Amino acid sequence: MTTSPTAGMITDAVEGSGKTLREIATEMGLERGNVISMLKSGEMRMPIKRIPAFAAATGVDALLLMQTAMTEYMPETWAVLAASATPAQEVQLNTRAPSPVVERFKAICLR
């Protein structure tokens, strides 16, 4: 099991999509489903340029996955980009979800 936040998010997205690894890979323009397995395990990093296709295939939020991946893979670059971004308006979000999903969401939001 990996402690990678990006791999965890990828795993949740794949499992929540209801699609096979092969279906997701095909929609991303990849030839083999085992690439998705390697992304889930953290054995392979998600290529930044593939995030939009993965998000479209699984329904995960592309910007949130981008932020998670960039924070993990390129923290210095992300810090520069985030510092120059317009601050987001604070909002309150009420949601129902299994506890592990809510806790992962909270952890990602605190970054």
Side-chain angles (χ1 to χ4, degrees):
M1 185 172 148
T2 180
T3 58
S4 163
T6 307
M9 190 171 182
I10 290 167
T11 299
D12 290 345
V14 169
E15 291 173 2
S17 73
K19 297 179 180 179
T20 67
L21 301 181
R22 181 181 295 267
E23 288 171 328
I24 294 169
T26 299
E27 290 180 36
M28 289 178 65
L30 302 171
E31 293 184 22
R32 297 179 173 218
N34 70 332
V35 172
I36 307 302
S37 292
M38 293 183 344
L39 293 171
K40 286 175 55 178
S41 70
E43 182 180 341
M44 178 180 163
R45 288 182 168 189
M46 170 67 79
I48 299 299
K49 69 181 183 179
R50 296 275 189 189
I51 288 176
F54 178 81
T58 61
V60 72
D61 183 289
L63 292 176
L64 181 57
L65 181 55
M66 180 72 70
Q67 177 184 357
T68 303
M70 291 285 294
T71 299
E72 180 178 355
Y73 304 159
M74 298 176 260
E76 297 86 7
T77 302
W78 181 252
V80 171
L81 293 171
S84 63
T86 305
Q89 178 183 359
E90 288 191 31
V91 297
Q92 181 175 342
L93 175 68
N94 297 318
T95 186
R96 285 186 158 188
S99 181
V101 174
V102 172
E103 293 307 314
R104 181 170 291 155
F105 177 77
K106 287 179 185 178
I108 290 170
C109 289
L110 292 176
R111 291 186 190 145

